[in-house]
Amino acid sequence: MEKLMYLLWKNDSDSRADFSARLLTDAAAKLTAENTLGVQINVADDAIVAAEHMLIENNKPRYHGVVSVWLESYLQRSAIESILRQHCYRIAGYLVTESCPLPNTTHQAELGERTPGFSQVVCLTRPARLSYEEWLAIWHDSHTQIAIDTQSTFMYRQNVVVRPMTYGAAPIDAIIEECFPQAAMSSWEAFYEAEGDPAKFQQHQTAMIESCVRFIDMDKIDAVQTSEYNFSTFRR
């Protein structure tokens, strides 16, 4: 089994509502009818507007959604990519390995329904100052627990990119998915799990930032806030 992730760009003329509606209806139905073991759609729809002050856009234009599919083999992806191209201005596909140190056990939703809160999708490139082994060791073996301890995340997935799957896909090394509660959309204190405690907020924020800069070039990172929708029982 293999996981593929596709970054999606909408046409400038498309509204958020129109773009998300096409993905969540026609595209979702077609994707689940193919030979997929699992389908998840993340889209920057109207429900996450309050969280967009957190947007980080170093590589423009920003992506507007992400589709994750699980297949027996990436060789089965041609139909998937054809469906996505029918609904998007541009796609960039990546074969990834997924690690989920913090599964979502508290904010479940029915199939096809929006996961409560919001999901932040982050694209990373490995800094040239670090070897691949050093980069992974800092991120996975050290940073993981710091991120879980200092933020209000209820789900955290680390997707290491094996290689690009579509022509022209930008060279990135990882895609992170992290889900936060609704309150974190508009409150940094809620984001850092420190509501009503300024000292704890400062401590958590500082610890998180200091950990991130060890393995991330902050002028190369992209973070887009999305709504998450699952369309299969794969994760259950």
Side-chain angles (χ1 to χ4, degrees), residues 171-182:
I172 60 174
D173 294 300
I175 304 173
I176 296 171
E177 304 167 75
E178 46 189 1
C179 289
F180 294 87
Q182 186 75 18

Side-chain angles (χ1 to χ4, degrees), residues 64-97:
H64 300 94
V66 183
V67 167
S68 301
V69 295
W70 289 259
L71 302 170
E72 293 288 4
S73 169
Y74 75 87
L75 298 173
Q76 302 167 326
R77 72 188 187 280
S78 59
I80 304 303
E81 293 176 3
S82 177
I83 292 166
L84 294 178
R85 287 193 172 98
Q86 293 170 21
H87 295 83
C88 304
Y89 167 71
R90 171 187 163 202
I91 69 171
Y94 301 89
L95 177 66
V96 304
T97 62

